[in-house]
């Protein structure tokens, strides 16, 4: 059996509002076994950007129910992002998400391989020897692709809930990114506490 591996990826780095979200996904056997009966129901496993919202939801539910998979999610919110910058915030979330999985001790007596998508590092960047940051990791390593899906689903759900609290901004539609509709709302209503003020500095809210 291959050693267990943890894939880590983030979503929300470039958004104007909402948290940056990082997911860590553990494949206990180093890979994920998909029974033949499930293969016809599942879309191809790939990074979240190449899947529809429905396909991401299907995979996220599958990972949560799979006996050889464990999932952890961590968020860093706008006020903290503004204090420490987005890169450090994402790395902090990666550290937290990974730490939750390891603390749960899902596999005993074995070392973990930890793979992070490019641009992510554990903590302040001085990573343990078993951790590697891989450029386009979400396209090359299944566990990282899984993490990208879980992170995207978790953040999208959060932004839908945020949209109910602040219906004037349409967060449920654009998920906090800089769309024309979002800029139009910012021009009309100004930013709320869910926005990252440092990301808005110097921007003109025009369409």
């Amino acid at each position: 059996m291959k050693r267990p591996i943890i894939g880590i990826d983030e979503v929300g780095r470039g958004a104007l509002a909402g948290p940056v979200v990082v997911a860590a996904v553990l494949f206990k056997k180093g890979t994920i076994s998909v029974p033949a009966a499930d293969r016809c129901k599942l879309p191809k496993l790939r990074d979240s950007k190449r899947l529809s919202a429905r396909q991401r939801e299907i995979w996220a539910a599958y990972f949560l129910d799979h006996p050889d998979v464990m999932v952890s999610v961590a968020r860093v919110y706008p006020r903290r992002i503004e204090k420490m910058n987005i890169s450090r915030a994402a790395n902090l979330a990666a550290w937290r998400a990974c730490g939750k999985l390891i603390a749960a001790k899902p596999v005993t007596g074995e070392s973990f391989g930890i793979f992070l998508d490019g641009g992510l590092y554990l903590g302040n960047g001085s990573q343990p020897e078993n951790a590697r940051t891989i450029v386009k990791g979400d396209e090359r390593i299944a566990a990282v692709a899984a993490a990208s899906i879980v992170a995207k689903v978790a953040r999208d759900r959060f932004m839908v809930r945020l949209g109910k609290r602040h219906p004037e901004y349409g967060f449920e539609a654009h998920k906090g990114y800089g769309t024309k509709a979002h800029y139009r709302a910012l021009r009309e209503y100004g930013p709320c506490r869910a926005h990252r003020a440092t990301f808005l500095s110097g921007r003109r809210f025009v369409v």
Side-chain angles (χ1 to χ4, degrees), residues 68-110:
D68 294 326
V69 177
M70 288 188 67
V71 171
S72 174
V73 174
R75 304 183 186 97
V76 175
Y77 295 93
R79 300 293 81 78
R80 190 73 182 273
I81 291 171
E82 291 170 347
K83 290 180 180 178
M84 63 189 315
N85 79 47
I86 187 61
S87 292
R88 291 179 62 196
N91 292 343
L92 174 62
W95 180 266
R96 289 175 174 172
C98 186
K100 289 180 188 177
L101 282 186
I102 295 174
K105 297 182 179 179
V107 180
T108 58
E110 296 189 61

Side-chain angles (χ1 to χ4, degrees), residues 130-207:
N130 62 329
R132 292 177 57 197
T133 295
I134 307 291
V135 175
K136 295 185 178 180
D138 53 5
E139 297 179 8
R140 299 168 58 186
I141 299 172
V144 180
S148 77
I149 292 168
V150 172
K152 176 64 174 168
V153 168
R155 189 177 189 279
D156 281 0
R157 290 176 180 175
F158 178 91
M159 295 306 293
V160 169
R161 295 194 299 271
L162 193 64
K164 293 178 180 178
R165 291 165 53 189
H166 302 281
E168 65 272 25
Y169 296 101
F171 290 136
E172 69 283 357
H174 53 67
K175 308 302 187 292
Y177 289 92
T179 65
K180 288 183 178 180
H182 193 181
Y183 279 121
R184 189 181 301 115
L186 280 166
R187 185 177 61 182
E188 183 172 356
Y189 300 106
C192 69
R193 284 188 57 80
H195 285 96
R196 306 172 187 175
T198 52
F199 280 52
L200 301 178
S201 178
R203 294 176 185 256
R204 296 177 62 200
F205 305 140
V206 297
V207 295

Side-chain angles (χ1 to χ4, degrees), residues 43-79:
K44 182 178 180 181
L45 179 58
R46 54 180 67 188
D47 74 272
S48 63
K49 295 183 292 295
R50 300 173 65 189
L51 296 172
S52 68
R54 176 59 180 159
Q55 289 173 328
R56 290 192 294 266
E57 289 281 355
I58 291 170
W59 267 121
Y62 190 79
F63 294 137
L64 288 172
D65 289 339
H66 199 290
D68 294 326
V69 177
M70 288 188 67
V71 171
S72 174
V73 174
R75 304 183 186 97
V76 175
Y77 295 93
R79 300 293 81 78

